[in-house]
Every structure is written in C-alpha cells, then in structure tokens.
Amino acid sequence: MSIIEIVGGILLLIACVLLVLFCMMQDQKQDQNMTSAITGTVYDSQFSKNEGRTKEAILKRWTFWLAVVFFVATLVVTIVPVYFD
C-alpha cells in the first residue's frame, strides 16, 4: 500500500461519515403540491427569501462539496494504484 492509497482511504472515510451526518441533519423539504393548491396555503415567507444564509443552505453547500471530495477521492484511490504500482 502506498502513501496515496492510505491518505485517500482516510479521506474517503472522513468524507463518507461527514456526508452521512450532514444528510441526516438536513430538514425534509415540503414541496408545494396539489394539496397546497387546493387548501390555499403558501410557503412563501421571509425565511424562505433569506434561505441562502440559513443553516439549511450551509448544510446543502457542505453536502455538495463533500460529495465532490468523496467522488474524487474514490477515483484517486481506484486509479492511482493501477498506474503507479
């Protein structure tokens, strides 16, 4: 095992655990569906207009970047040993 494989494996484990935790911390989205059209409920509020700075937006952003790190680390751990072994 090379150093790149060990570092990549550790990075994969950390990214995987954080990705699962961040996904579980996010709230479930409530879509505006036919029920809201029939009942007349509207989900527009001041909170929804400022959602770029909320906890949900931060968690969504971190989840995206952790998924990118996980994908790249998986490729590195898989491809590097084939060409540099």
Side-chain angles (χ1 to χ4, degrees), residues 31-44:
D31 293 330
Q32 292 184 0
N33 51 19
M34 286 302 289
T35 306
S36 63
I38 293 171
T39 60
T41 57
V42 179
Y43 292 113
D44 280 342

Side-chain angles (χ1 to χ4, degrees), residues 32-81:
Q32 292 184 0
N33 51 19
M34 286 302 289
T35 306
S36 63
I38 293 171
T39 60
T41 57
V42 179
Y43 292 113
D44 280 342
S45 65
Q46 187 63 29
F47 179 72
S48 67
K49 293 177 184 173
N50 290 329
E51 67 183 29
R53 291 173 265 168
T54 61
K55 178 187 87 161
E56 292 301 318
I58 294 169
L59 285 174
K60 184 178 175 184
R61 198 173 312 125
W62 273 97
T63 304
F64 172 77
W65 285 112
L66 279 172
V68 169
V69 167
F70 182 79
F71 180 72
V72 170
T74 302
L75 287 177
V76 167
V77 168
T78 305
I79 294 174
V80 166

Side-chain angles (χ1 to χ4, degrees), residues 16-27:
C16 181
V17 169
L18 288 176
L19 195 58
V20 168
L21 288 175
F22 284 175
C23 285
M24 291 178 72
M25 286 172 51
Q26 291 179 3
D27 287 337

